[in-house]
Amino acid sequence: MRNLWNFIVQYQVILVFLLLQGLAISWFVSSHGYPRGAWVRLALDCESAWQGQINEWRHRTELSDQNFQLLEENARLRSSMGTPSSIQLAKRSQFTAAEVIRATWTQNQNYFILDRGKEQGVQAGQGVITNGGAIGKIIETTNDYSIGIPLIHNQIDWSARIGATGAIGRLKWDGVDPTAGMLFDIPRSAEFSPGDSVITTGFQGVFPPNLLFGIVANDEAPFDGEFLSVPVNWVVDFQSLRYVQLAKTKDANQINSLQNTVNPSAP
Amino acid sequence: MNSALLIPLQLALTCALQILFFQNMAFWDGWGILTFHLLGILLLPLNTRPVLLLLVSGTVGATIDIFAFGGGLFTSSAVAMALVLPFIDRLLAPREGYEVTDEPNIKSMGVQWFSIRTIAALAVHNLWMFSMEAGRWGLVLVGWGKAITSSLICWLLFVVVLQLAQSKGKKR
């Protein structure tokens, strides 16, 4: 209070000036046609500019909501119907939409966090896809969130196949180029060419089969004397990833228990 | 006459003359507008507190606005002039400062001091007033031209009036 009083005393001249000018200009604007019109025009301009900004924000928010609704719709459709090649996929899998809320894409061992967790039925081990392309898997969940590791993680192998009936190998990222990985253990006799699809096998129980990892790159495939290592370009741009879908294999428990009868230590 | 009575009388007289007489006089198609009420403000004592100067100027301006249908134009301009007037006085102050007996008129301070102070104050008042009245950039330059010519005419009027008043005082 004392500070306020000091302020008023210190700036009393300018405060009185502003007060009197405010009164005088209000009087002037209200009693003269042109300034009143100019003032109304200015006020309307400000009002319309502000409303425009608000509408733009609202529109963007609505677009974001619609985008997510479309993603959920897409997930439902993918779960219930599809092309002949994906009918089997649909039979074995369910899909849930999610949004990436935090992620790293520039480290050797990257991760991403999704806004879906146990409450929404997300479990560790589920595959994460976007627009039909495989991008990673969930490793841990909380009630409302889940954390996953993407293809660009140098400590994990992914089971992949070249084309629908081609050779199967281990897909791994070298930790260097975030746009490409390497498909190891491909027999020298395998037939493939640059541009061929590299797809999921479904053997790990993470992804449904026939989802796209990437395409065979145009680079030369190194030969280690026994197997070829095929360079693969990812189809997904990880840095622009925002909306994803979580694939859940139906009957996963039955399949896992069967697997455990052969190898009890398997996850 | 007692200055406590003289100052309000001086303000009332200049206001009355402006309302009754000078507000109806406009020379050369608006290039010579007279604002005689400002003489009352300019003749206020040099040691008048700035806040009081603002309030008195606002009151004088509002009085003119009410009777001349200025709609706040004279109030705003008079307040603008009152804000600047103490700075003008400080700039024009003698090296040793003003004496207690100094009054802001020709007799006390001389024609040169009075003229510079009056023209500067009137210029601020009229530039503010004509700019507000112009209301748009296209008319502002013409308004400023009118402000300068009106200030000079008004200054001339003030000098003549004060000289006449002083000469009458001497005769008595």
Side-chain angles (χ1 to χ4, degrees):
Chain A
M1 195 63 192
R2 180 181 287 272
N3 287 340
L4 180 66
W5 180 249
N6 288 341
F7 177 82
I8 291 169
V9 169
Q10 191 176 354
Y11 296 103
Q12 56 180 321
V13 175
I14 200 74
L15 290 174
V16 171
F17 170 76
L18 290 174
L19 177 72
L20 293 173
Q21 277 299 348
L23 292 170
I25 289 172
S26 310
W27 186 6
F28 180 72
V29 167
S30 63
S31 59
H32 286 72
Y34 183 78
R36 188 169 61 228
W39 177 253
V40 168
R41 278 196 298 278
L42 180 67
L44 278 175
D45 284 349
C46 292
E47 171 73 12
S48 57
W50 174 247
Q51 281 298 333
Q53 195 67 46
I54 293 278
N55 285 339
E56 197 178 320
W57 287 337
R58 197 173 290 157
H59 185 61
R60 281 184 186 173
T61 313
E62 281 171 4
L63 275 181
S64 178
D65 291 344
Q66 285 172 3
N67 195 9
F68 197 76
Q69 284 167 11
L70 283 173
L71 201 73
E72 284 183 322
E73 180 73 15
N74 201 9
R76 275 199 299 278
L77 289 171
R78 198 183 287 278
S79 299
S80 61
M81 58 185 289
T83 58
S85 63
S86 62
I87 287 175
Q88 273 193 320
L89 182 154
K91 278 182 183 169
R92 289 189 210 147
S93 308
Q94 283 181 327
F95 295 88
T96 311
E99 186 177 354
V100 179
I101 56 170
R102 209 171 284 183
T104 66
W105 308 119
T106 55
Q107 299 171 9
N108 285 333
Q109 295 171 10
N110 293 298
Y111 66 88
F112 54 85
I113 297 176
L114 306 179
D115 67 340
R116 292 286 186 273
K118 285 178 189 162
E119 295 280 334
Q120 292 79 34
V122 180
Q123 294 173 348
Q126 277 188 255
V128 184
I129 66 172
T130 182
N131 296 327
I135 54 171
K137 72 171 184 178
I138 298 298
I139 55 167
E140 190 60 65
T141 59
T142 63
N143 281 344
D144 296 310
Y145 301 98
S146 52
I147 186 168
I149 49 176
L151 301 182
I152 50 173
H153 187 290
N154 66 359
Q155 294 294 312
I156 193 160
D157 295 343
W158 308 89
S159 177
R161 185 201 307 269
I162 300 176
T165 56
I168 293 171
R170 288 182 300 117
L171 185 63
K172 197 168 183 179
W173 184 53
D174 60 1
V176 179
D177 181 3
T179 64
M182 191 71 86
L183 185 59
F184 295 99
D185 304 338
I186 298 298
R188 193 178 183 186
S189 59
E191 289 185 5
F192 62 89
S193 54
D196 283 355
S197 302
V198 177
I199 57 176
T200 57
T201 61
F203 292 171
Q204 290 173 303
V206 175
F207 298 110
N210 303 327
L211 287 174
L212 202 56
F213 276 124
I215 56 171
V216 175
N218 207 9
D219 303 332
E220 191 183 345
F223 181 60
D224 64 1
E226 197 172 355
F227 293 106
L228 286 167
S229 300
V230 181
V232 177
N233 288 332
W234 308 129
V235 288
V236 174
D237 176 9
F238 289 96
Q239 292 187 336
S240 62
L241 208 58
R242 184 164 174 199
Y243 296 106
V244 296
Q245 291 166 333
L246 293 151
K248 185 179 182 182
T249 307
K250 288 176 184 172
D251 304 326
N253 292 337
Q254 285 185 51
I255 297 167
N256 287 341
S257 62
L258 268 177
Q259 189 176 12
N260 290 341
T261 58
V262 180
N263 180 11
S265 63
Chain B
M1 192 185 284
N2 184 4
S3 67
L5 200 62
L6 182 68
I7 292 168
L9 199 66
Q10 197 171 267
L11 288 167
L13 184 66
T14 51
C15 278
L17 283 171
Q18 173 67 23
I19 293 161
L20 297 172
F21 188 62
F22 290 108
Q23 76 161 348
N24 302 313
M25 296 176 71
F27 303 103
W28 308 303
D29 198 21
W31 286 80
I33 301 287
L34 298 175
T35 47
F36 192 72
H37 60 286
L38 298 181
L39 183 60
I41 298 169
L42 289 170
L43 291 178
L44 286 171
L46 286 168
N47 59 358
T48 306
R49 287 179 54 210
V51 173
L52 186 63
L53 189 63
L54 283 169
L55 292 171
V56 170
S57 303
T59 309
V60 168
T63 308
I64 302 300
D65 273 325
I66 289 166
F67 289 99
F69 306 105
L73 190 64
F74 290 103
T75 311
S76 179
S77 312
V79 168
M81 188 190 80
L83 182 76
V84 178
L85 199 54
F87 293 101
I88 298 172
D89 289 345
R90 215 173 298 159
L91 284 174
L92 296 178
R95 192 172 296 171
E96 61 278 11
Y98 293 108
E99 299 289 335
V100 183
T101 52
D102 284 345
E103 291 176 9
N105 54 35
I106 297 173
K107 185 182 168 189
S108 173
M109 303 302 296
V111 175
Q112 190 184 356
W113 182 93
F114 178 81
S115 299
I116 294 170
R117 179 179 188 256
T118 304
I119 289 171
L122 287 174
V124 170
H125 178 276
N126 289 343
L127 284 171
W128 187 283
M129 187 173 75
F130 282 100
S131 300
M132 268 182 83
E133 200 177 29
R136 62 201 90 176
W137 290 111
L139 298 177
V140 161
L141 282 179
V142 178
W144 289 353
K146 288 180 178 180
I148 299 300
T149 52
S150 296
S151 302
L152 292 173
I153 291 167
C154 221
W155 157 73
L156 204 61
L157 175 70
F158 291 176
V159 171
V160 170
V161 169
L162 286 180
Q163 293 289 23
L164 283 172
Q166 280 172 19
S167 64
K168 276 187 179 178
K170 276 178 189 172
K171 279 180 186 171
R172 278 180 208 156

